[in-house]
Amino acid sequence: MDQAATPRIRNVALVGHSGVGKTTLVEALLHRAGAIPRMGRIEDGSTVCDTEPEEIKRGISLSLAVAPFPWTASDGVTYQVNLLDTPGYADFAGSVDAALQVADLAVVVVSAVDGVEVGTEAVWDRCEALGVPRMVFVTKEDKPRADFHRVLEQLRARFGSGFVVLELPLGEEEALHGVADVLSDQAFEYDGDGTHHTGPMPDDVAEEEHRLHDEVTEEIVSGDDEQLERYLSGDVPTASELELTLAHEVLEGTEYPVVLGSASTGVGVDRLADFLCEIGPAPRPVTVRVGSNGDGAEIDVAADPAGDPLVHVFRTVADPFVGQVSLFKVLSGTVRNDDRLVNAVTGAEERLHGLFHLRGKEHLPTDAVVAGDIAAVAKLAGSPTGSTLARKATPVVVPAPPTRAPLYGLALTPVTQSDDDKLSGALQRLCAEDPALRVERTTEGGAAAGGHSQTVLRGTGDVHVAVALEKLARKFGVNVTTAPVRVAYRETIAADADVEGKIKKQSGGHGQFAVVQLRVSPRARGEGSEFVDSIVGGSIPRNYIPAVERGVMEQMETGGLHGFPVVDVRVECYEGKYHSVDSSDMAFRTAASIGLKEALARAGTVVLEPVSHVQVLVPGELQGDVMGDLSGRRGRISGTDVLPDGRSVIEATVPEAELVRYVMDLRSLTGGRGSFTAEHSHYDVVPAHLVERLAVPVG
């Protein structure tokens, strides 16, 4: 592609609720452009973008897919359109974030049958937060119960003004046969092959179309002072002039064009491609931070093919044939085969060998990639998702969008020793492919656990984690069993205790002798444990004191009466006895351990549980239901607030044990419109009637 091509590149993310038909729309666009010989079907698993077995099995998109195609628009110019097909299911919203980070336009796909849904609201809010220009495509206009005007009312009711209607349906449901172009006052009738021709404006839409033409014209010209002045003086702008003005307003995020059609019949598909090219923005400048740590000043980098090369890796894919494939966007400069660039964070040099465009699973080789374009390369081993590649003298970092908290987790146990050997590396590669996943390794030191650890895989929901485990087995050959994540319960002593720990053994030769007097007492919650040496007069030699402390601390880690690690305890060693021959470090460690166990048994313990601070964001009308549910989870409401858009924010503290499945339960309770964050706050006493039900850790 020549350097003059950058202004003719369109990076477009298709976003929307799950099941609205984004992937089918990609098929229709590719087929209409001649990029594929026939449209694939989701039911057959034959689409370009949904190629993973996990996607085919479920019939939904689970990850970001790229589908480029060339398109000669109605203005006679040929453009390169890079479609970014995204999942609509909430668990995979991380892929939406990745697409929006490199897209210059988001097409919000809305079903003419189902209208504005929770997924529509979610992606619209995300686009708003990231400042991504938007347009709306109302699809499924040929389906029963399709109602374009109802969808338009819902859009305006939920997201306000700014929607510019560019098309009206000619017929609807099974009778859909074309579209009325509002800007040009023309009717376009569609043939069976997806092409259109101009026809007379049907009487049943003529009046509405003419009225809408005047309204839309005034709406568009009001954003351009010069054009508005001409319009008021009687100089009516042409459709091309209106499109040019609208393109600026789309870029600025003040207007949102609305077009319509049907991916299955082809009505409106070619018109959508035209609008993407003629109204959609060219590659926009990207804000980066100077410095390898991203801690310097912010600068804007223009998509200049003649500039210094700057590459942003926004997704990695584990390919069974070529290894790791890195999808990247060239932010500046022109990248050519076998160029060598440096990772701005690690300093590792990377050779970009074998550049190609990726269309689903198809590799389309290329010699060069210009600024603004999206391509792929294999084997960038030292540059995971989020990496920035530049020349050595250009240490810059592209700020990542806020990550979504992985709120659901499962503990993994390898099935065989071979699985165990491969698990760590496979999880690392899995997380490189999907940064929304997170791996944690927790160690519980309870008596029954014997220091047993858990490998925990966390994601944004149960389906997210389930799909990751299926990929773990299929792509990396690692099989695991799963269990709930163990809650990190703790114990502390319930009262003061004064005890003696003693060991006295004689078995020929050196024996074991040590006596320690311990005064054990509870500390304030969260203060941690403390060992105090109060020995005077040499009743225990100084060189044995560290052994006494070690014995106390080891017993705390081993666990209390219920098998959980002991915390928030003050242990004072104030007296003891020793033997010049039979005493040893081991003897004093053992005596101290015996003493602490005796203190816990004598004074008793209370079990502590981790408590999280939770912030829940829900529609205002559901505030009462959500607060009631939190109370049923032993939560304590600490406050509520109402946002300007009418949503409620609920602050509460909730035991971690009650949040294990809360991400799914909240979605069910709120119809997917609720979200929450949780972070550890403190430990609190478990009610006595619940202690006996606790799952004591097992080794």
Side-chain angles (χ1 to χ4, degrees), residues 90-95 97 126 401-409 434-440 457-462 464-465 612-615 659-660 662-664 666-667 674-680:
D91 275 18
F92 304 95
S95 291
D97 296 342
R126 199 62 169 177
T403 56
R404 299 176 188 256
L407 298 167
Y408 178 79
D434 185 354
L437 293 169
R438 185 181 302 167
V439 176
E440 300 173 356
L457 179 64
R458 292 193 179 276
T460 52
D462 56 339
H464 189 204
V465 174
S612 296
H613 174 261
V614 175
Q615 186 179 77
L659 296 174
V660 173
Y662 189 57
V663 62
M664 288 82 77
L666 181 64
R667 285 179 191 165
S675 62
F676 80 102
T677 59
E679 59 181 18
H680 176 74

Side-chain angles (χ1 to χ4, degrees), residues 27 38-51 56:
E27 292 293 307
R38 65 184 62 85
M39 286 179 58
R41 285 166 39 89
I42 290 174
E43 296 82 358
D44 302 334
S46 57
T47 64
V48 169
C49 292
D50 288 356
T51 57
I56 295 171

